[in-house]
Amino acid sequence: DAGVIQSPRHEVTEMGQEVTLRCKPISGHDYLFWYRQTMMRGLELLIYFNNNVPIDDSGMPEDRFSAKMPNASFSTLKIQPSEPRDSAVYFCASMRGGGGELFFGEGSRLTVL
Amino acid sequence: GENVEQHPSTLSVQEGDSAVIKCTYSDSASNYFPWYKQELGKGPQLIIDIRSNVGEKKDQRIAVTLNKTAKHFSLHITETQPEDSAVYFCAARRSGSGGYQKVTFGTGTKLQVIP
């Protein structure tokens, strides 16, 4: 299996620009998660989906953040407009069933200048 | 909600020595405790987990212990090797019927194994 695939691996953008991060979960996994990792706050859960439906978005910091999962093999996390404090590593993870193991992608490192 | 505290935040050991990382949790209903290893530039990867019906679990040089009464659990790495250098996260979760329950992560321990 190819694992969770994220793109881009690195993104440098200027404040005010739109950023779109992409994720392909492991085939057959019905849960998908978006996490943000910073030195100050550690690993934060932003949102998760079950069978392509958003279940809990209480971790999304502001309305500037949005996430979609149009089908079982693709999800996006969008930040519009981006701000320097959004700089972080964003991880996508997937899981089979509610009690299974979390499989993380390699992350997208975002730098907003 | 659940709160997981992890100590120490950094740990340096000589190659061949043991390393111990400790975590405490607050929710007595938590019954699943995974440990993740994050190498530089990569995502966290599960290395071992323990459920509340056992007190200890081993996998080669790695072991986890759980004390439900005290609500703490630990990761033990013996005969450390340079490739063990990474950031380690503990986590806690309720696990059972009713679908997904949120995983709460500790703040991480950066382990450095000195050759």
Side-chain angles (χ1 to χ4, degrees):
Chain A
D1 214 330
V4 175
I5 299 173
Q6 291 187 244
S7 65
R9 291 295 314 279
H10 302 274
E11 173 91 5
V12 180
T13 190
E14 292 189 347
M15 183 173 63
Q17 296 298 306
E18 178 180 293
V19 174
T20 300
L21 308 178
R22 297 172 176 81
C23 175
K24 176 179 169 56
I26 293 173
S27 177
H29 284 194
D30 53 342
Y31 284 84
L32 183 138
F33 306 82
W34 282 100
Y35 283 87
R36 179 171 68 177
Q37 186 176 41
T38 60
M39 289 294 294
M40 291 299 295
R41 301 171 75 93
L43 270 167
E44 300 175 273
L45 177 64
L46 301 178
I47 185 171
Y48 79 90
F49 296 81
N50 178 219
N51 291 322
N52 313 337
V53 176
I55 303 300
D56 184 353
D57 65 354
S58 59
M60 297 286 260
E62 299 170 38
D63 291 345
R64 298 184 295 106
F65 286 69
S66 62
K68 294 182 178 180
M69 191 165 186
N71 57 62
S73 59
F74 184 66
S75 177
T76 60
L77 177 68
K78 186 175 292 187
I79 308 172
Q80 166 64 18
S82 58
E83 296 183 4
R85 59 195 168 118
D86 302 330
S87 297
V89 181
Y90 292 81
F91 287 102
C92 176
S94 68
M95 173 191 290
R96 185 196 306 271
E101 175 185 345
L102 270 173
F103 289 84
F104 285 84
E106 298 206 322
S108 294
R109 179 175 293 277
L110 172 64
T111 302
V112 183
L113 303 174
Chain B
E2 175 67 279
N3 182 47
V4 177
E5 295 191 355
Q6 184 171 349
H7 300 280
S9 56
T10 59
L11 179 60
S12 290
V13 300
Q14 292 289 329
E15 183 178 356
D17 288 350
S18 295
V20 180
I21 302 170
K22 298 182 179 182
C23 290
T24 61
Y25 61 98
S26 61
D27 186 354
S28 56
S30 289
N31 56 7
Y32 174 64
F33 307 92
W35 286 86
Y36 288 82
K37 176 183 181 182
Q38 185 177 19
E39 297 178 344
L40 194 63
K42 297 194 174 183
Q45 182 175 14
L46 180 72
I47 55 171
I48 194 166
D49 56 16
I50 189 168
R51 298 185 186 273
S52 59
N53 57 346
V54 298
E56 184 176 2
K57 183 176 179 180
K58 282 185 178 181
D59 183 2
Q60 299 182 352
R61 296 185 297 107
I62 294 173
V64 290
T65 59
L66 171 65
N67 183 327
K68 282 201 69 180
T69 303
K71 288 190 279 189
H72 66 70
F73 56 114
S74 301
L75 176 71
H76 304 252
I77 306 174
T78 59
E79 300 173 26
T80 53
Q81 300 170 4
E83 53 264 38
D84 295 328
S85 296
V87 178
Y88 291 81
F89 293 93
C90 62
R93 188 182 83 196
R94 298 182 185 188
S95 181
S97 61
Y100 174 73
Q101 300 290 334
K102 182 179 175 181
V103 175
T104 301
F105 286 90
T107 50
T109 296
K110 184 175 182 179
L111 173 64
Q112 181 184 20
V113 179
I114 303 167

PDB file of all heavy atoms in Angstrom, chain A residues 3 5 10 14 19 25-26 34 39-40 44 53 58 65-66 73-74 76-79 87-88 90 94 101 107 109:
ATOM      1  N   GLY A   3       0.360   4.180   1.305  1.00  0.00           N
ATOM      2  CA  GLY A   3       0.311   5.052   2.460  1.00  0.00           C
ATOM      3  C   GLY A   3      -0.490   6.301   2.163  1.00  0.00           C
ATOM      4  O   GLY A   3      -1.019   6.486   1.062  1.00  0.00           O
ATOM      5  N   ILE A   5      -0.917   9.963   1.131  1.00  0.00           N
ATOM      6  CA  ILE A   5      -0.113  10.817   0.266  1.00  0.00           C
ATOM      7  C   ILE A   5      -0.583  12.260   0.377  1.00  0.00           C
ATOM      8  O   ILE A   5      -1.769  12.546   0.186  1.00  0.00           O
ATOM      9  CB  ILE A   5      -0.211  10.346  -1.209  1.00  0.00           C
ATOM     10  CG1 ILE A   5       0.319   8.907  -1.314  1.00  0.00           C
ATOM     11  CG2 ILE A   5       0.583  11.283  -2.119  1.00  0.00           C
ATOM     12  CD1 ILE A   5       0.112   8.277  -2.665  1.00  0.00           C
ATOM     13  N   HIS A  10       6.107  21.005   0.529  1.00  0.00           N
ATOM     14  CA  HIS A  10       6.515  22.320   1.016  1.00  0.00           C
ATOM     15  C   HIS A  10       5.771  23.387   0.226  1.00  0.00           C
ATOM     16  O   HIS A  10       5.602  23.252  -0.983  1.00  0.00           O
ATOM     17  CB  HIS A  10       8.023  22.535   0.847  1.00  0.00           C
ATOM     18  CG  HIS A  10       8.858  21.507   1.535  1.00  0.00           C
ATOM     19  ND1 HIS A  10       9.211  21.608   2.852  1.00  0.00           N
ATOM     20  CD2 HIS A  10       9.398  20.346   1.080  1.00  0.00           C
ATOM     21  CE1 HIS A  10       9.945  20.555   3.192  1.00  0.00           C
ATOM     22  NE2 HIS A  10      10.065  19.783   2.144  1.00  0.00           N
ATOM     23  N   GLU A  14       2.839  34.089   0.234  1.00  0.00           N
ATOM     24  CA  GLU A  14       2.784  35.400   0.879  1.00  0.00           C
ATOM     25  C   GLU A  14       1.437  35.598   1.560  1.00  0.00           C
ATOM     26  O   GLU A  14       0.419  35.054   1.129  1.00  0.00           O
ATOM     27  CB  GLU A  14       3.022  36.495  -0.149  1.00  0.00           C
ATOM     28  CG  GLU A  14       4.451  36.487  -0.685  1.00  0.00           C
ATOM     29  CD  GLU A  14       4.759  37.696  -1.539  1.00  0.00           C
ATOM     30  OE1 GLU A  14       3.819  38.421  -1.924  1.00  0.00           O
ATOM     31  OE2 GLU A  14       5.952  37.919  -1.829  1.00  0.00           O
ATOM     32  N   VAL A  19      -4.144  29.068   0.000  1.00  0.00           N
ATOM     33  CA  VAL A  19      -3.332  27.852   0.072  1.00  0.00           C
ATOM     34  C   VAL A  19      -4.266  26.646   0.051  1.00  0.00           C
ATOM     35  O   VAL A  19      -5.272  26.621   0.781  1.00  0.00           O
ATOM     36  CB  VAL A  19      -2.502  27.825   1.366  1.00  0.00           C
ATOM     37  CG1 VAL A  19      -1.783  26.493   1.508  1.00  0.00           C
ATOM     38  CG2 VAL A  19      -1.505  28.978   1.387  1.00  0.00           C
ATOM     39  N   PRO A  25      -6.046   9.465   1.122  1.00  0.00           N
ATOM     40  CA  PRO A  25      -5.946   8.492   2.216  1.00  0.00           C
ATOM     41  C   PRO A  25      -5.650   7.096   1.686  1.00  0.00           C
ATOM     42  O   PRO A  25      -5.693   6.849   0.480  1.00  0.00           O
ATOM     43  CB  PRO A  25      -7.336   8.545   2.851  1.00  0.00           C
ATOM     44  CG  PRO A  25      -8.240   8.920   1.716  1.00  0.00           C
ATOM     45  CD  PRO A  25      -7.433   9.835   0.842  1.00  0.00           C
ATOM     46  N   ILE A  26      -5.371   6.200   2.599  1.00  0.00           N
ATOM     47  CA  ILE A  26      -5.162   4.802   2.246  1.00  0.00           C
ATOM     48  C   ILE A  26      -6.498   4.215   1.790  1.00  0.00           C
ATOM     49  O   ILE A  26      -7.541   4.441   2.424  1.00  0.00           O
ATOM     50  CB  ILE A  26      -4.591   4.025   3.432  1.00  0.00           C
ATOM     51  CG1 ILE A  26      -3.162   4.527   3.742  1.00  0.00           C
ATOM     52  CG2 ILE A  26      -4.576   2.529   3.167  1.00  0.00           C
ATOM     53  CD1 ILE A  26      -2.562   3.958   5.007  1.00  0.00           C
ATOM     54  N   TRP A  34      -7.342  15.833   9.576  1.00  0.00           N
ATOM     55  CA  TRP A  34      -6.362  16.890   9.310  1.00  0.00           C
ATOM     56  C   TRP A  34      -5.833  17.402  10.654  1.00  0.00           C
ATOM     57  O   TRP A  34      -6.611  17.810  11.520  1.00  0.00           O
ATOM     58  CB  TRP A  34      -6.974  18.051   8.534  1.00  0.00           C
ATOM     59  CG  TRP A  34      -7.152  17.794   7.065  1.00  0.00           C
ATOM     60  CD1 TRP A  34      -8.299  17.435   6.422  1.00  0.00           C
ATOM     61  CD2 TRP A  34      -6.143  17.888   6.059  1.00  0.00           C
ATOM     62  NE1 TRP A  34      -8.078  17.292   5.072  1.00  0.00           N
ATOM     63  CE2 TRP A  34      -6.753  17.568   4.818  1.00  0.00           C
ATOM     64  CE3 TRP A  34      -4.781  18.201   6.057  1.00  0.00           C
ATOM     65  CZ2 TRP A  34      -6.050  17.559   3.617  1.00  0.00           C
ATOM     66  CZ3 TRP A  34      -4.093  18.200   4.863  1.00  0.00           C
ATOM     67  CH2 TRP A  34      -4.726  17.885   3.659  1.00  0.00           C
ATOM     68  N   MET A  39       5.467  24.049  17.128  1.00  0.00           N
ATOM     69  CA  MET A  39       6.253  23.881  18.346  1.00  0.00           C
ATOM     70  C   MET A  39       5.440  24.278  19.571  1.00  0.00           C
ATOM     71  O   MET A  39       5.495  23.639  20.612  1.00  0.00           O
ATOM     72  CB  MET A  39       7.532  24.720  18.265  1.00  0.00           C
ATOM     73  CG  MET A  39       8.551  24.203  17.280  1.00  0.00           C
ATOM     74  SD  MET A  39       9.212  22.614  17.796  1.00  0.00           S
ATOM     75  CE  MET A  39      10.082  23.093  19.287  1.00  0.00           C
ATOM     76  N   MET A  40       4.670  25.342  19.422  1.00  0.00           N
ATOM     77  CA  MET A  40       3.949  25.886  20.583  1.00  0.00           C
ATOM     78  C   MET A  40       2.756  25.027  20.992  1.00  0.00           C
ATOM     79  O   MET A  40       2.500  24.842  22.176  1.00  0.00           O
ATOM     80  CB  MET A  40       3.465  27.306  20.270  1.00  0.00           C
ATOM     81  CG  MET A  40       4.573  28.330  20.152  1.00  0.00           C
ATOM     82  SD  MET A  40       5.494  28.492  21.689  1.00  0.00           S
ATOM     83  CE  MET A  40       4.224  29.133  22.770  1.00  0.00           C
ATOM     84  N   GLU A  44      -2.442  19.337  16.763  1.00  0.00           N
ATOM     85  CA  GLU A  44      -3.829  19.755  16.973  1.00  0.00           C
ATOM     86  C   GLU A  44      -4.714  19.120  15.896  1.00  0.00           C
ATOM     87  O   GLU A  44      -4.415  19.216  14.717  1.00  0.00           O
ATOM     88  CB  GLU A  44      -3.977  21.267  16.811  1.00  0.00           C
ATOM     89  CG  GLU A  44      -3.185  22.141  17.721  1.00  0.00           C
ATOM     90  CD  GLU A  44      -3.379  23.592  17.313  1.00  0.00           C
ATOM     91  OE1 GLU A  44      -2.622  24.062  16.436  1.00  0.00           O
ATOM     92  OE2 GLU A  44      -4.306  24.250  17.846  1.00  0.00           O
ATOM     93  N   VAL A  53     -17.969  12.502   5.151  1.00  0.00           N
ATOM     94  CA  VAL A  53     -18.814  13.505   5.805  1.00  0.00           C
ATOM     95  C   VAL A  53     -18.044  14.140   6.954  1.00  0.00           C
ATOM     96  O   VAL A  53     -17.480  13.415   7.785  1.00  0.00           O
ATOM     97  CB  VAL A  53     -20.109  12.854   6.348  1.00  0.00           C
ATOM     98  CG1 VAL A  53     -20.932  13.891   7.116  1.00  0.00           C
ATOM     99  CG2 VAL A  53     -20.911  12.238   5.215  1.00  0.00           C
ATOM    100  N   SER A  58     -14.497  21.283  15.112  1.00  0.00           N
ATOM    101  CA  SER A  58     -14.324  22.228  16.219  1.00  0.00           C
ATOM    102  C   SER A  58     -12.884  22.702  16.367  1.00  0.00           C
ATOM    103  O   SER A  58     -12.626  23.711  17.018  1.00  0.00           O
ATOM    104  CB  SER A  58     -14.796  21.593  17.530  1.00  0.00           C
ATOM    105  OG  SER A  58     -14.069  20.419  17.807  1.00  0.00           O
ATOM    106  N   PHE A  65     -10.218  28.848   7.391  1.00  0.00           N
ATOM    107  CA  PHE A  65      -9.891  27.446   7.128  1.00  0.00           C
ATOM    108  C   PHE A  65     -11.155  26.702   6.690  1.00  0.00           C
ATOM    109  O   PHE A  65     -12.216  26.847   7.298  1.00  0.00           O
ATOM    110  CB  PHE A  65      -9.354  26.780   8.394  1.00  0.00           C
ATOM    111  CG  PHE A  65      -7.962  27.178   8.771  1.00  0.00           C
ATOM    112  CD1 PHE A  65      -7.682  28.460   9.221  1.00  0.00           C
ATOM    113  CD2 PHE A  65      -6.922  26.267   8.673  1.00  0.00           C
ATOM    114  CE1 PHE A  65      -6.386  28.835   9.573  1.00  0.00           C
ATOM    115  CE2 PHE A  65      -5.627  26.622   9.034  1.00  0.00           C
ATOM    116  CZ  PHE A  65      -5.356  27.906   9.478  1.00  0.00           C
ATOM    117  N   SER A  66     -10.989  25.889   5.653  1.00  0.00           N
ATOM    118  CA  SER A  66     -12.097  25.034   5.225  1.00  0.00           C
ATOM    119  C   SER A  66     -11.540  23.724   4.712  1.00  0.00           C
ATOM    120  O   SER A  66     -10.401  23.670   4.256  1.00  0.00           O
ATOM    121  CB  SER A  66     -12.934  25.719   4.138  1.00  0.00           C
ATOM    122  OG  SER A  66     -12.159  25.962   2.976  1.00  0.00           O
ATOM    123  N   SER A  73     -11.285   9.098  -1.834  1.00  0.00           N
ATOM    124  CA  SER A  73      -9.850   9.055  -2.090  1.00  0.00           C
ATOM    125  C   SER A  73      -9.198  10.427  -2.170  1.00  0.00           C
ATOM    126  O   SER A  73      -8.055  10.557  -2.608  1.00  0.00           O
ATOM    127  CB  SER A  73      -9.584   8.283  -3.386  1.00  0.00           C
ATOM    128  OG  SER A  73     -10.237   8.898  -4.466  1.00  0.00           O
ATOM    129  N   PHE A  74      -9.914  11.471  -1.732  1.00  0.00           N
ATOM    130  CA  PHE A  74      -9.332  12.803  -1.876  1.00  0.00           C
ATOM    131  C   PHE A  74      -9.931  13.780  -0.884  1.00  0.00           C
ATOM    132  O   PHE A  74     -11.148  13.827  -0.686  1.00  0.00           O
ATOM    133  CB  PHE A  74      -9.576  13.308  -3.306  1.00  0.00           C
ATOM    134  CG  PHE A  74      -8.945  14.631  -3.610  1.00  0.00           C
ATOM    135  CD1 PHE A  74      -7.566  14.767  -3.629  1.00  0.00           C
ATOM    136  CD2 PHE A  74      -9.723  15.752  -3.881  1.00  0.00           C
ATOM    137  CE1 PHE A  74      -6.971  15.988  -3.919  1.00  0.00           C
ATOM    138  CE2 PHE A  74      -9.138  16.977  -4.172  1.00  0.00           C
ATOM    139  CZ  PHE A  74      -7.757  17.093  -4.189  1.00  0.00           C
ATOM    140  N   THR A  76      -9.162  18.016   0.685  1.00  0.00           N
ATOM    141  CA  THR A  76      -8.395  19.260   0.640  1.00  0.00           C
ATOM    142  C   THR A  76      -8.605  20.064   1.911  1.00  0.00           C
ATOM    143  O   THR A  76      -9.666  20.016   2.535  1.00  0.00           O
ATOM    144  CB  THR A  76      -8.802  20.140  -0.549  1.00  0.00           C
ATOM    145  OG1 THR A  76     -10.201  20.462  -0.443  1.00  0.00           O
ATOM    146  CG2 THR A  76      -8.520  19.462  -1.870  1.00  0.00           C
ATOM    147  N   LEU A  77      -7.559  20.785   2.287  1.00  0.00           N
ATOM    148  CA  LEU A  77      -7.623  21.764   3.367  1.00  0.00           C
ATOM    149  C   LEU A  77      -7.209  23.096   2.753  1.00  0.00           C
ATOM    150  O   LEU A  77      -6.130  23.207   2.182  1.00  0.00           O
ATOM    151  CB  LEU A  77      -6.681  21.390   4.512  1.00  0.00           C
ATOM    152  CG  LEU A  77      -6.606  22.369   5.679  1.00  0.00           C
ATOM    153  CD1 LEU A  77      -7.929  22.396   6.446  1.00  0.00           C
ATOM    154  CD2 LEU A  77      -5.465  21.994   6.624  1.00  0.00           C
ATOM    155  N   LYS A  78      -8.100  24.067   2.851  1.00  0.00           N
ATOM    156  CA  LYS A  78      -7.854  25.350   2.207  1.00  0.00           C
ATOM    157  C   LYS A  78      -7.762  26.453   3.246  1.00  0.00           C
ATOM    158  O   LYS A  78      -8.536  26.472   4.222  1.00  0.00           O
ATOM    159  CB  LYS A  78      -8.986  25.650   1.220  1.00  0.00           C
ATOM    160  CG  LYS A  78      -8.779  26.892   0.362  1.00  0.00           C
ATOM    161  CD  LYS A  78      -9.889  27.043  -0.655  1.00  0.00           C
ATOM    162  CE  LYS A  78      -9.842  25.967  -1.709  1.00  0.00           C
ATOM    163  NZ  LYS A  78     -10.812  26.203  -2.809  1.00  0.00           N
ATOM    164  N   ILE A  79      -6.837  27.349   3.044  1.00  0.00           N
ATOM    165  CA  ILE A  79      -6.697  28.522   3.908  1.00  0.00           C
ATOM    166  C   ILE A  79      -6.775  29.756   3.005  1.00  0.00           C
ATOM    167  O   ILE A  79      -6.001  29.914   2.068  1.00  0.00           O
ATOM    168  CB  ILE A  79      -5.343  28.534   4.662  1.00  0.00           C
ATOM    169  CG1 ILE A  79      -5.110  27.212   5.386  1.00  0.00           C
ATOM    170  CG2 ILE A  79      -5.319  29.693   5.664  1.00  0.00           C
ATOM    171  CD1 ILE A  79      -3.721  27.069   5.980  1.00  0.00           C
ATOM    172  N   SER A  87       1.662  29.399   9.546  1.00  0.00           N
ATOM    173  CA  SER A  87       2.860  28.618   9.235  1.00  0.00           C
ATOM    174  C   SER A  87       2.957  27.443  10.198  1.00  0.00           C
ATOM    175  O   SER A  87       2.933  27.618  11.422  1.00  0.00           O
ATOM    176  CB  SER A  87       4.111  29.499   9.340  1.00  0.00           C
ATOM    177  OG  SER A  87       4.064  30.552   8.387  1.00  0.00           O
ATOM    178  N   ALA A  88       3.061  26.247   9.644  1.00  0.00           N
ATOM    179  CA  ALA A  88       3.046  25.019  10.439  1.00  0.00           C
ATOM    180  C   ALA A  88       3.251  23.841   9.490  1.00  0.00           C
ATOM    181  O   ALA A  88       3.327  24.015   8.274  1.00  0.00           O
ATOM    182  CB  ALA A  88       1.703  24.869  11.166  1.00  0.00           C
ATOM    183  N   TYR A  90       1.215  20.620   8.296  1.00  0.00           N
ATOM    184  CA  TYR A  90      -0.146  20.090   8.272  1.00  0.00           C
ATOM    185  C   TYR A  90      -0.085  18.617   7.866  1.00  0.00           C
ATOM    186  O   TYR A  90       0.480  18.258   6.842  1.00  0.00           O
ATOM    187  CB  TYR A  90      -1.015  20.889   7.307  1.00  0.00           C
ATOM    188  CG  TYR A  90      -1.265  22.302   7.791  1.00  0.00           C
ATOM    189  CD1 TYR A  90      -0.313  23.299   7.597  1.00  0.00           C
ATOM    190  CD2 TYR A  90      -2.427  22.623   8.476  1.00  0.00           C
ATOM    191  CE1 TYR A  90      -0.522  24.591   8.077  1.00  0.00           C
ATOM    192  CE2 TYR A  90      -2.655  23.910   8.941  1.00  0.00           C
ATOM    193  CZ  TYR A  90      -1.697  24.888   8.747  1.00  0.00           C
ATOM    194  OH  TYR A  90      -1.909  26.161   9.221  1.00  0.00           O
ATOM    195  N   SER A  94      -5.279   8.824   8.058  1.00  0.00           N
ATOM    196  CA  SER A  94      -6.487   8.051   7.805  1.00  0.00           C
ATOM    197  C   SER A  94      -6.513   6.831   8.700  1.00  0.00           C
ATOM    198  O   SER A  94      -5.496   6.420   9.284  1.00  0.00           O
ATOM    199  CB  SER A  94      -6.604   7.663   6.323  1.00  0.00           C
ATOM    200  OG  SER A  94      -5.618   6.727   5.919  1.00  0.00           O
ATOM    201  N   GLU A 101      -5.806   2.002  13.868  1.00  0.00           N
ATOM    202  CA  GLU A 101      -4.551   2.747  13.946  1.00  0.00           C
ATOM    203  C   GLU A 101      -4.614   3.960  13.019  1.00  0.00           C
ATOM    204  O   GLU A 101      -5.115   3.880  11.900  1.00  0.00           O
ATOM    205  CB  GLU A 101      -3.391   1.843  13.524  1.00  0.00           C
ATOM    206  CG  GLU A 101      -2.041   2.532  13.437  1.00  0.00           C
ATOM    207  CD  GLU A 101      -0.957   1.611  12.898  1.00  0.00           C
ATOM    208  OE1 GLU A 101      -1.186   0.381  12.868  1.00  0.00           O
ATOM    209  OE2 GLU A 101       0.100   2.127  12.491  1.00  0.00           O
ATOM    210  N   GLY A 107       3.250  14.956   5.633  1.00  0.00           N
ATOM    211  CA  GLY A 107       3.011  16.334   6.005  1.00  0.00           C
ATOM    212  C   GLY A 107       3.285  17.334   4.902  1.00  0.00           C
ATOM    213  O   GLY A 107       4.022  17.062   3.944  1.00  0.00           O
ATOM    214  N   ARG A 109       4.605  21.205   4.766  1.00  0.00           N
ATOM    215  CA  ARG A 109       5.166  22.307   5.552  1.00  0.00           C
ATOM    216  C   ARG A 109       4.796  23.618   4.878  1.00  0.00           C
ATOM    217  O   ARG A 109       5.210  23.874   3.740  1.00  0.00           O
ATOM    218  CB  ARG A 109       6.692  22.183   5.666  1.00  0.00           C
ATOM    219  CG  ARG A 109       7.324  23.327   6.460  1.00  0.00           C
ATOM    220  CD  ARG A 109       8.807  23.125   6.655  1.00  0.00           C
ATOM    221  NE  ARG A 109       9.097  21.987   7.507  1.00  0.00           N
ATOM    222  CZ  ARG A 109       9.097  22.000   8.830  1.00  0.00           C
ATOM    223  NH1 ARG A 109       8.839  23.131   9.463  1.00  0.00           N
ATOM    224  NH2 ARG A 109       9.390  20.914   9.505  1.00  0.00           N
TER     225      ARG A 109
END
